[in-house]
Amino acid sequence: MPPLSTSRDFQHCVCQDLLLNISAHEDMRPCLKEVDACLVRLGWDTPSHMWVVDDPTVLAIVIAASRNADLHRDILLAQLDSQVKLASTTAYRAVQQLCAFFLDHPEYMNTRAAAGNSDSVKGFKHALDVLGSMEFRAPPRKAGKGKNVQVEDTLLTQVFMESTCVPETAAERDVLVQRISKTLQEILEVCFIELRVAERKEDLIEMLHLPASRRAPDELTRPDRPAHLFDTDDIEGFGIWQILISQRAERNLRKLRKKERVLFDRAYEKLQQLSHGHLGDQGILSGVDGIPIYIAKPAHGLRIVYHIYCVPSSRKGEEIQAIRIFGFYEPKQIKLHIWNTVSCQLGKNDEEFIQRCSLHPSNYVIGEASYIPATFEPQTRSSPAVLPPVGNQSPGDLDELHGTIHQKYTHFSKKFLDAIIGDIAITFPFQLYMEERRVVEYPHTSYVIGRSGSGKTTIILLKILLVERNYWNGTSPSKRRPRQMFVTKSHLLANRVEHQFYNYASATLPDLASRPTQDVDDFTNLLDYDDNQATFGLSKNNLPLKFSELEDHHFPLFITFDDLCNLIEGDLTSVIGSRKKPLVNWSTFQQHYWSHMPEPLKKGVDPTAVYSEFLGVIKGSEEAYNSQIKVLDLSTYEALGEQHSSFIGKRTQIYSLFEKYSKLKQERQEEDIADRTIHIVQSLMDEEAGKPCTDNKVDWIYVDEAQDNLLLDSLILHAICSNGDHMIWAGDTAQTIAAGSSFKFDELKAFLYRTNEKTMSLKAHTFHLSTNFRSHAGIINCAQSVIDLIVEFWPNSIDKLTPEVGVVSGPRPVWLKTREGSNEHVDNYLEKMSTQSIEFGAEQCILVHNEKALQSFQQKFGQLGIVLTLLDSKGLEFNDVLLYNFFQDSHSDETKWRHVLTNTQSFHSNPSEYVGLCQELKLLYVAITRARKNFWIADTSPVGDMIKQFWLSQGLIQELTLGVEILSFGRSSNREEWALRGKAMFDAKKYEDAARCYQHAGYTHLEEIAWAYKLRQDAWPMTGSRKSKTFIQAAEAFHRSAHHQSNEKYRLPFARLAADCFLQVGLVQKAVDTMLAVKEYTQAAMTLYEAGKIDESVALVRRYPNEIEPAARETITTSAKEKYFRELAFSKARQLFETTKDAVGYLKERKFDLETIGFLEWAGEVSTAAKLHTIKGRFADAIKLLSRHARHPCRSNHDPEIPTKSKHPAKEITRYVGEYTLELLWRSQPFGVAATRHGALVNEVLTTMAEIKWPFTPEVQKQIEMFKYLRNGLDSVDSLQKLGEGFQTTCWYAYMRCLSVALRQFPDDKNIHQIHSYLSRYRDFINSLAEMSKGDGFGQSTLTENLARLFGFRETENKVWIPAGTFFSEGLSDDSKYQGENGTALSRHEFTVHFRRVLSQWLVNELKSHSVRCQKLPQMSPHFLLQSPDCRFSPRSLSSRGPPVKQNPQRHILSLQFEILTLGGPDCEALVQCVLTYPALRCRVLT
């Protein structure tokens, strides 16, 4: 019987023809008979053939028309009779198709055929798959224990019914399968009944009467189609066979199109014929022991070599044959022995696969003399395919063989053809293998684990492209453009993936705007990634400073994890303040931390493993995250299981080292990546702090090289992803050689599930990629043996995967034979290469263990080519690799290697002693997998001999003699190869190696650039004069590089680099001159600005106002303005403004008080400046300012070299001085304040007034004199009395201030006339104050102003300010709402009440004191008054002023005293005392 696929395809075609024939007839009944007869002829009475029809409508027609439908039904029902593999039977497939038919055509079903049958059948398939995978070897677990059981419970319950329970035994499972089987049988019988109804046949045929415009010709003429992820634009005129073009074939076509147009046309015609199935008619080139390789002859001198291959079909879960074009060759280029080897290698000794890649007679269509492609179910292998050996091949033939088999293939689409014809350099996505395609198309969270070279990064790249394509094609479930983010630790990887994405996008997504990126394969320019950020606009340059500011046009975003953290911290800084500290990396740890650790604690432990333990376990593990302080304490750390930490028995020592590390880190004010992650996670969890980031989440996150991250880093990524089901994690824990890396995918999956259980999808799937597309099987098998050792002895340090397989065989790695205990042959050969200037090629590399070994090698052999440490080699790949003395330089001793290689008990008794050896094996794995073609080992150490015997015993390596069996190492490379390798080394920051590569390539200017970077790299850790000298050398080298660049785009960055090197050693002017030479005015100005040379930067801004960017110009001028004003350099500041008014406005806006005053004084606005002083209460300063200009009217004290005249007339200035002087004096010494208050200030002002003969008005002059007398106190009483008499009618508050001092001196007790005069003045004084105490004058502005001046308070719009130490400051409560150090503010009402109370109380106290003073006078004693001639007073006589005092002095004195005392009110204590003393006064009181 022919293959299943062949029968299905052929029958499908025949059936389509029959249906077309039926639809063309008006009478349906004869057609039904014809269909029935044809089915019999085709043997469709055999159900195994009949039910492979995939079209539900065709199947329905067949059932309706077949005479043996009942027989078919019985056979199918028997197949559905309770078997676990039910879902893979023909019967189950038939039920699926029939349910689909009734779902599409409900008019043909009745109530018994429910629409839900289709969903049920789909669910049954999943349930049957789950049930079929169950094993019941161990006793059943209790329900609910273990995550897997819970998941299965959930899925089964959803598929069946709520009462369904997960079977715990095989018997329970079989019962469940029987229930499903019975349900399927019932559905099948219902379908047959419906379709076998008599009138149903004609109805079904009627359904096929469709207008021609509604038919799909492709669907009717093509039995099946290959599935294209991206290209669907087939070329017009091409047939049903898909053509896949290899990389070589694409180069051939481009060359033919340019130089041999006729041959190109013939080749195109032949490809068209092949697409129509005209295959194999011109011969088989090879295929006896492998897959057939065919040859086609489009023209004389041109051959097409191709073969049949299986690719994913448009029907999911199936494969279809396609044509892969190896290339276009001249006849002489075709070597039969190579193609025989290619055939065997592709066949992989797999007969089934060879049959799939062959043409079958049953696929041949006789009428068209062509083949149709066959389809198959995916091939499943129980064990990896075994590649046949390649035999003895020359190095050139091996290169051609590997190059042919390792090629990638692209769909020959219309876009591809247009790119060839138009000579457009576009990179198209290549055809994926089935296992890769499954990952790309999986719509949920994925964990992609694969060893080195397995295509993990490519899969992620194409997944990103697919999501973008679905959006632009309108097939995305979301209308909003998806935000996708690619995250990795390597900036080089992020840059390359971004570059490749936009290459693919330009070919497949024309609607996607291209983002400007540097061509990473363009070696004509060199700029370090970090320098690129400010130059070419790579992934980081065009990004905002905050994550929340990312917009749709930034996506898809390709970013390093460090840059992502910087974006997030940009948001966190704006919310919770800055906290960023210098970051401790491995280099910093090694140089500044490990070297300071106590030697006893460092004994016996590897610093790399210790650093990884600190970050990955003690701080970065799940247990640490769940602890209160986010760090494991010693007891918890010691209690960890072996699966978490390998330092069993040494954890106390490790924790002591950690404590030393933490203390030193705190002293240095630094943080490590674990600190940073914990801070970010905690901030994101905070609703307020994390809101800017969590409100701007991304839709898809792809993490490549995930093993380089901390476990806790996943929390950050999960927090910023909007869908926990849209994350892809890819990596390989076999490559966790970087310090600080302690990562396992099993831990990651469990950690994410436990910490994000509510948002994590249960559909997350783990994909294991086992095919290595980089190296051949000889190298892969050797590397796999290293993986096996790690898995066996350190199973918790690596994810266990299916063993790697290659796509082609190759020579086993070579252990170079040497004389015992010496590398003499190898060393002699290397020394010979060194002395004869023979070097390795661009695709060859020498790997050594560490930096120390590298220095030793270079001292011994000089520069032999590319020599790298194993850490530096990660991410790079070469054709040939020589591993030199790896085992001799191993940190692990011979005993430990022997215990592992011989699997002794010593290892298991103390595994912590072997932690370093695990890291050594991972390094060894990385070393082996750097090689694509040849891997050589040179090592004579005892450890090396042990590993050699270990490999030889397994047939994994071969031992050959250099100079005999291996004639040489070196292989020459052309100029382009050297240049490309130089670019790769430059990107890896291996500048010295890059320089040597460019030297071989002949690119002198690129060599100089690389050396300049090397000098700068060397200068950073240096100190003293060596550092300065090296930076200057680097600067000069960069300057020469800038000078040699003809393109300004590349000239500017090197000038900047030169300037930066000059700046590192303080040569600011040289840096600026370098920038000015290339017209980099903005950078020059900013350099001066950042160096603190404000004057020079301002000069550049003024010289090149249009050339300097506005932002820089604004930054410089703003800073300069502030600096100049702060320094009172007003002439410089004025140059930065158009007008003086603008300058004053700037100062006032920034509240630069004193600077504003100084500038106004400098500008001649003296009065305005003085007024600003007075607004702030600085009257003394205002007076000094005006006085200064009175002395020197043509000069400013701030810029004496700039003459500045006052713009105000002298008369106006005099008026201002008078006003400000009086205001100062009144505020300093108001009523009720001692003359000593602010005495120094008053003395200074009065002295100034005396020095300058100000032409004040008489009123002002008198008040100034009053304060001079007040300063003298009682010595100037007469003068004050005289002044007071003058103020009595002109300035009453000055009069009151004079009396307040003059009345303190009592007259001579012997002169009754003086007493009378004193009492008269005192009466007027007290009377005025008594009137004031009533508060009747408030509201009258003039009176209020006078009161304010007299008592020293000040009025504002709503408040009254009472300065401290003044008359009314007494009696204020301490808890006043507006109380301050310098005074208290009260409302108007509060002040009025306070005013009355204080003044009234003062009057009472004053009168009491006055009464006491008077009683001491003899003239006021009762005895004196009674002895007087006229001692009888009537009330009337007391009330009248009577005759002059000389006629009746005693009477008038008593009368004045009485009037004075009555001013205190009837309750005045002094008045009561007076009445008691003078009984004759009682009648006056009564009156």
Side-chain angles (χ1 to χ4, degrees), residues 404-673:
T404 300
I405 296 179
H406 276 136
Q407 288 191 104
K408 298 176 181 178
Y409 294 82
T410 303
H411 173 49
F412 192 62
S413 62
K414 185 177 184 304
K415 289 180 181 178
F416 183 90
L417 179 61
D418 292 342
I420 297 293
I421 295 174
D423 194 25
I424 302 171
I426 296 180
T427 304
F428 288 83
F430 54 82
Q431 185 74 30
L432 293 172
Y433 290 89
M434 182 61 81
E435 66 174 358
E436 297 174 307
R437 188 183 180 102
R438 280 197 295 267
V439 182
V440 172
E441 292 184 326
Y442 192 69
H444 307 291
T445 289
S446 305
Y447 300 94
V448 184
I449 310 174
R451 302 299 181 215
S452 179
S454 57
K456 301 181 295 293
T457 303
T458 300
I459 288 173
I460 289 179
L461 173 60
L462 294 181
K463 175 71 176 183
I464 298 173
L465 193 66
L466 179 63
V467 173
E468 284 289 333
R469 188 213 65 169
N470 290 342
Y471 167 75
W472 291 107
N473 291 354
T475 57
S476 174
S478 174
K479 294 183 180 181
R480 183 178 66 84
R481 183 182 174 191
R483 290 186 166 198
Q484 302 188 85
M485 184 167 68
F486 175 91
V487 183
T488 183
K489 294 284 282 188
S490 167
H491 66 78
L492 181 59
L493 178 59
N495 188 30
R496 286 191 174 278
V497 173
E498 179 180 28
H499 173 73
Q500 190 63 30
F501 171 82
Y502 282 100
N503 278 346
Y504 285 162
S506 63
T508 58
L509 299 174
D511 294 329
L512 181 62
S514 177
R515 186 178 299 170
T517 61
Q518 181 194 9
D519 188 348
V520 294
D521 295 323
D522 179 11
F523 51 77
T524 60
N525 65 84
L526 286 181
L527 277 174
D528 185 85
Y529 168 82
D530 297 323
D531 301 321
N532 269 339
Q533 300 311 309
T535 308
F536 287 131
L538 287 182
S539 57
K540 182 180 172 184
N541 185 46
N542 290 329
L543 295 182
L545 298 177
K546 299 179 181 179
F547 182 84
S548 61
E549 295 173 356
L550 289 173
E551 300 178 1
D552 286 349
H553 66 84
H554 292 119
F555 295 91
L557 177 60
F558 301 84
I559 191 170
T560 66
F561 183 76
D562 289 335
D563 291 342
L564 174 62
C565 288
N566 289 336
L567 287 179
I568 296 174
E569 287 184 316
D571 278 307
L572 301 181
T573 298
S574 63
V575 176
I576 61 178
S578 177
R579 57 161 300 281
K580 198 167 181 64
K581 298 178 181 178
L583 210 60
V584 179
N585 54 28
W586 163 242
S587 178
T588 308
F589 175 82
Q590 197 174 27
Q591 185 174 356
H592 298 291
Y593 287 83
W594 187 252
S595 59
H596 292 77
M597 298 290 184
E599 289 299 328
L601 290 179
K602 295 193 293 184
K603 185 177 180 180
V605 292
D606 178 62
T608 306
V610 169
Y611 185 61
S612 301
E613 189 81 356
F614 287 175
L615 300 185
V617 180
I618 298 178
K619 299 181 71 173
S621 62
E622 181 178 359
E623 290 77 11
Y625 176 72
N626 291 331
S627 68
Q628 187 173 359
I629 60 173
K630 306 303 179 186
V631 175
L632 293 180
D633 57 35
L634 177 59
S635 59
T636 306
Y637 176 56
E638 290 180 330
L640 289 179
E642 184 180 350
Q643 69 274 19
H644 294 95
S645 171
S646 301
F647 283 100
I648 298 176
K650 290 191 174 183
R651 291 187 184 173
T652 302
Q653 175 185 352
I654 298 299
Y655 203 85
S656 297
L657 286 168
F658 173 72
E659 290 176 330
K660 297 286 185 184
Y661 162 73
S662 300
K663 181 178 179 181
L664 188 57
K665 180 160 60 71
Q666 186 176 5
E667 293 174 356
R668 291 172 56 85
Q669 292 293 301
E670 294 176 333
E671 66 177 4
D672 53 37
I673 56 175

Side-chain angles (χ1 to χ4, degrees), residues 1471-1485:
L1471 177 62
V1472 172
Q1473 185 64 37
C1474 183
V1475 171
L1476 293 175
T1477 304
Y1478 309 107
L1481 294 177
R1482 295 175 186 174
C1483 58
R1484 174 69 184 269
V1485 174

